[in-house]
């Protein structure tokens, strides 16, 4: 059984997709043992509580510096016996001590096809605004391992979504979530739970 900690900042629809996939049995041998938010008002915390999952709110501003914040996060992860850390709409840049301790065990979902529309300043709705501004015809979502950079870690899985002429950022965000994010995040978690994700020479591949 793979114990998972999910880190969230907002609505938590990706968290919900994982909870539902575990309930339905499309993700097996995995259990969410803790949901951590940096915001007390994140609706994701309500979703976790409704599903009977333990929650914690750990805010960087409550700590002396980022290292101390990293230590608090590590303590929570260890207490929850989590072996995989899933960033599902988590908008805090994690401290270096935390990322290096859990290298190869942290994954993130990003709402574009990396390396396009990612990096500093590209998060949430802003990504879809930039996609439409640029006029690209295909976007999508990416699940990748987290390293010290922003959205620079090895890519595990991607799914493309076509842009429509009348898309707005909100409409596109919803379609990318439905068609890509809520599909590939549970898939990757199931693959990791069954040892089907291999990391070699800083490249990830999924064994089908
Ligand atoms: C999702 O679209 C996720 O991909 C994005 O924030 C949204 C959170 O929604 N994450 C990023 O932009 C990270 N760079 P949710 O709280 O409903 O899952």
């Amino acid at each position: 059984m793979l114990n998972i900690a999910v880190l969230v900042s907002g609505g938590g629809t990706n968290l919900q997709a994982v909870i539902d996939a575990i309930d339905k049995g499309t993700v097996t041998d995995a259990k969410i043992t803790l949901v951590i938010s940096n915001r007390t008002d994140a609706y994701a915390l309500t979703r976790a509580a409704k599903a009977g999952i333990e929650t914690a709110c750990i805010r960087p501003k409550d700590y002396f510096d980022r290292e101390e914040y990293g230590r608090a996060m590590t303590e929570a992860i260890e207490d929850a016996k989590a072996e995989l850390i899933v960033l599902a709409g988590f908008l805090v840049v994690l401290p270096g001590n935390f990322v290096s301790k859990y290298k190869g065990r942290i994954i993130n979902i990003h709402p574009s096809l990396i390396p396009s529309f990612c990096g500093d300043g590209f998060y949430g709705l802003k990504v879809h605004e930039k996609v439409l501004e640029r006029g690209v015809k295909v976007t999508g979502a990416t699940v990748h391992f987290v390293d010290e950079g922003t959205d620079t870690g090895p890519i595990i899985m991607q799914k493309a979504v076509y842009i429509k002429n009348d898309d707005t950022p909100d409409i596109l965000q919803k379609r990318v979530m439905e068609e890509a994010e809520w599909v590939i995040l549970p898939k990757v978690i199931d693959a990791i739970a069954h040892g089907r994700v291999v990391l070699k020479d800083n490249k990830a591949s999924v064994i089908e």
Side-chain angles (χ1 to χ4, degrees), residues 74-97:
T74 301
E75 210 175 292
I77 297 296
E78 296 302 310
D79 285 351
K81 299 188 166 37
E83 298 140 300
L84 177 70
I85 299 158
V86 176
L87 313 190
F90 186 63
L91 300 182
V92 177
V93 176
L94 286 165
N97 59 347

Side-chain angles (χ1 to χ4, degrees), residues 10-15 88-91 108-111 122-124 127-128 151 173 177 181:
T13 63
N14 278 289
L15 166 68
F90 186 63
L91 300 182
N108 178 48
I109 176 93
H110 182 77
F122 287 88
Y123 59 89
V127 174
H128 307 290
D151 302 328
Q173 180 181 49
M177 284 175 159
E181 297 186 45

